Amino acid sequence: MKNIKFISAKEAVKIVKSNDRVHLHSVAVTPHPLIEALCERGRNKEFRNVRIQHIHTEGPAPYADPELEGIFQLESFFVGANVRKQTQSGYADYIPVFLQETQRLIREGYLKVNVAMIQVSVPDKFGYASLGTSVDATLAAVEKADTVIAIVNPNVPRAFGDAMIHINEIDLFVEDDCELVTAEPGPISETDRKIGRYVAELVEDGATLQMGIGAIPNAVLSMLGNHKDLGVHSEMFADGILPLVDKGVVNGKNKKTDKGKMVATFLMGSKKLYDFIGDNPGVAMQDVKYTNRVNVIAKNPKVTAINSALQIDITGQVCADSIGTRFYSGVGGQIDFLRGASLSKGGKPIIAMPSVTNKGISKIAPILTPGAGVVSTRANIHWLVTEYGAVNLYGRTLQDRAKLIISISHPDHQEELDKAAFERFGPHFHFVWDENDD
């Protein structure tokens, strides 16, 4: 095991040269000291055309600012809030890709990584450090990068699974004790509670859960306290899961893979969440090629995958990455888990969303807004949930689907949607019978 020699962030980023591609560790462990040092070099015009690559970072993203045009070019796998305006303005760009395949782009050489910038925990006596709260595609970048720069930070939790890497895989070491980026759970609205209640009713005892961060997942989790033997296999989880672990509701007893373990590829939440995964053998932070692989997901029983959408049309096409032509987020892992849940024995793929936007615009539309991307096709959609109910579209005809979807739209918009369906499908639409009409 080699001895660690620490250098400053300014000295470490001198390795970056013009036309390099730099991969940044993501979410809570975004390596801000290295980013700041790199952007200082950029402002001094010490290089040009450095491509920045990451899934989703938290905190400032100065490399995407217009003032550094020509110095940096962001090519993200997901459009986070910190780079959304720059991406929509064309100063940053986006690579559409299933989350599971982000690592493949790196491992198979589609995207050559010259420098990987990461944060790790303090190495143990055997020389192993942990990638902590994010493994995702960063492990692939560590494996393939010409140079790996690591911030050794005591605040990075010592997570197990694929998160463990040996210090021999790291070339340059920087020491820092900055706090990880946190996200405290936000308030849950009455609309969120109604959606959460409908979704919770679909969750069976022994189910394996996949869900993200936000008010709707938290609302769902808050209503599962009387369930039994739930498991977690998800691309991420947040604080909402912790009370269920404390109560013994989440124990993974019914899982077929990683029995008894909670599996994720990244986390975002409070310091309490990060402390929870530290030295916890019950949590496996895994490579995204594993967490989001459809056949791995499908091995577990009753996989209940809860995802959201920006818009859905009356035939079931789901847009989850853009508002018209303006990119808002990304493809992410929605398809990975909708397919995995669909193929799981007793699985339930669910799209859950409010019926209207904060401005009262219906999120259920006759057709998707021109330019909107179809992230999940009609054939991928099973359960759709709004605050007005839950409907199962699987195996239903287009006209059946339209009837069901409109039935859980906001009442203020149902007449307009019904008229659009009539114009689309013809007068027979009003005679389509549903067994629930009796």
Side-chain angles (χ1 to χ4, degrees):
M1 185 171 71
K2 65 184 177 184
N3 292 323
I4 295 177
K5 178 184 177 182
F6 290 107
I7 59 177
S8 68
K10 287 184 178 181
E11 187 175 353
V13 301
K14 288 179 181 178
I15 195 72
V16 178
K17 59 186 184 302
S18 293
N19 302 312
D20 274 354
R21 179 182 294 277
V22 177
H23 181 96
L24 299 180
H25 209 170
S26 58
V27 198
V29 282
T30 302
H32 286 290
L34 295 175
I35 291 172
E36 292 164 9
L38 186 66
C39 288
E40 184 178 339
R41 284 194 65 203
R43 294 186 189 96
N44 293 334
K45 296 182 170 54
E46 296 180 29
F47 46 62
R48 290 188 59 79
N49 194 36
V50 170
R51 295 179 183 270
I52 303 292
Q53 166 192 291
H54 57 65
I55 291 181
H56 167 211
T57 60
E58 288 286 333
Y63 46 82
D65 290 346
E67 66 168 312
L68 293 175
E69 183 181 19
I71 306 298
F72 297 110
Q73 174 63 40
L74 173 61
E75 298 175 348
S76 64
F77 297 134
F78 189 91
V79 183
N82 59 345
V83 297
R84 189 169 293 142
K85 181 179 179 181
Q86 298 94 318
T87 303
Q88 292 174 354
S89 301
Y91 289 102
D93 214 342
Y94 159 65
I95 299 173
V97 61
F98 297 125
L99 192 61
Q100 192 271 334
E101 294 188 4
T102 53
Q103 53 78 32
R104 182 184 176 191
L105 293 178
I106 297 169
R107 287 191 168 108
E108 296 187 9
Y110 293 96
L111 300 174
K112 165 66 177 174
V113 176
N114 302 102
V115 180
M117 296 183 176
I118 65 176
Q119 285 204 78
V120 298
S121 67
V122 176
D124 62 23
K125 63 182 180 180
F126 302 107
Y128 284 92
S130 178
L131 292 168
T133 58
S134 289
V135 178
D136 49 70
T138 297
L139 182 60
V142 169
E143 293 170 0
K144 290 297 186 179
D146 297 328
T147 304
V148 177
I149 307 173
I151 296 173
V152 178
N153 186 341
N155 292 308
V156 176
R158 189 169 172 267
F160 296 135
D162 292 332
M164 283 293 182
I165 63 172
H166 199 273
I167 62 171
N168 288 342
E169 298 180 68
I170 300 169
D171 300 292
L172 301 173
F173 295 86
V174 174
E175 198 169 21
D176 198 273
D177 61 356
C178 57
E179 295 289 337
L180 303 189
V181 182
T182 58
E184 297 293 335
I188 298 175
S189 70
E190 184 56 33
T191 295
D192 298 326
R193 291 188 193 281
K194 289 178 180 178
I195 296 170
R197 190 172 299 111
Y198 284 120
V199 173
E201 290 173 356
L202 297 175
V203 178
E204 300 178 40
D205 288 344
T208 302
L209 301 178
Q210 176 262 327
M211 57 182 59
I213 190 172
I216 290 177
N218 285 340
V220 175
L221 293 169
S222 71
M223 297 174 186
L224 298 179
N226 292 323
H227 280 62
K228 297 178 181 178
D229 300 333
L230 300 180
V232 173
H233 182 110
S234 183
E235 64 192 28
M236 72 161 296
F237 60 83
D239 287 74
I241 206 77
L242 298 183
L244 296 179
V245 176
D246 291 340
K247 291 183 68 172
V249 173
V250 169
N251 55 38
K253 287 182 180 179
N254 203 42
K255 293 177 71 178
K256 299 301 181 186
T257 63
D258 304 299
K259 198 177 189 71
K261 293 183 183 293
M262 300 170 62
V263 173
T265 197
F266 68 89
L267 304 177
M268 186 66 200
S270 69
K271 187 177 185 301
K272 181 180 178 181
L273 179 72
Y274 306 155
D275 290 342
F276 169 75
I277 72 168
D279 287 312
N280 187 346
V283 177
M285 297 300 297
Q286 301 290 70
D287 193 314
V288 72
K289 76 175 181 181
Y290 179 81
T291 59
N292 285 53
R293 186 182 295 167
V294 171
N295 63 343
V296 172
I297 297 166
K299 288 178 182 177
N300 281 312
K302 301 179 183 177
V303 172
T304 305
I306 304 161
N307 289 270
S308 193
L310 295 171
Q311 190 181 46
I312 185 170
D313 73 10
I314 57 174
T315 69
Q317 292 188 116
V318 167
C319 173
D321 66 351
S322 61
I323 300 173
T325 58
R326 293 181 295 128
F327 279 93
Y328 189 84
S329 54
V331 171
Q334 183 172 116
I335 282 289
D336 298 334
F337 278 93
L338 290 183
R339 290 296 296 147
S342 176
L343 297 172
S344 161
K345 185 176 181 179
K348 293 177 182 175
I350 300 170
I351 296 291
M353 66 177 198
S355 64
V356 295
T357 69
N358 292 334
K359 296 180 179 180
I361 299 170
S362 179
K363 297 182 73 169
I364 296 171
I367 60 172
L368 297 180
T369 302
V374 178
V375 168
S376 297
T377 71
R378 303 178 182 101
N380 293 119
I381 306 307
H382 291 216
W383 286 94
L384 176 66
V385 180
T386 73
E387 70 271 30
Y388 294 102
V391 292
N392 191 355
L393 307 180
Y394 190 56
R396 307 305 292 262
T397 67
L398 293 174
Q399 294 185 42
D400 284 340
R401 284 164 168 257
K403 286 268 190 182
L404 289 168
I405 292 171
I406 293 169
S407 75
I408 59 168
S409 66
H410 194 285
D412 290 351
H413 299 281
Q414 288 190 3
E415 183 177 349
E416 176 188 355
L417 291 169
D418 194 65
K419 180 181 177 183
F422 178 85
E423 292 174 351
R424 179 168 186 167
F425 297 116
H428 176 69
F429 175 72
H430 281 170
F431 292 93
V432 173
W433 176 79
D434 184 85
E435 61 263 31
N436 296 320
D437 289 342
D438 290 345

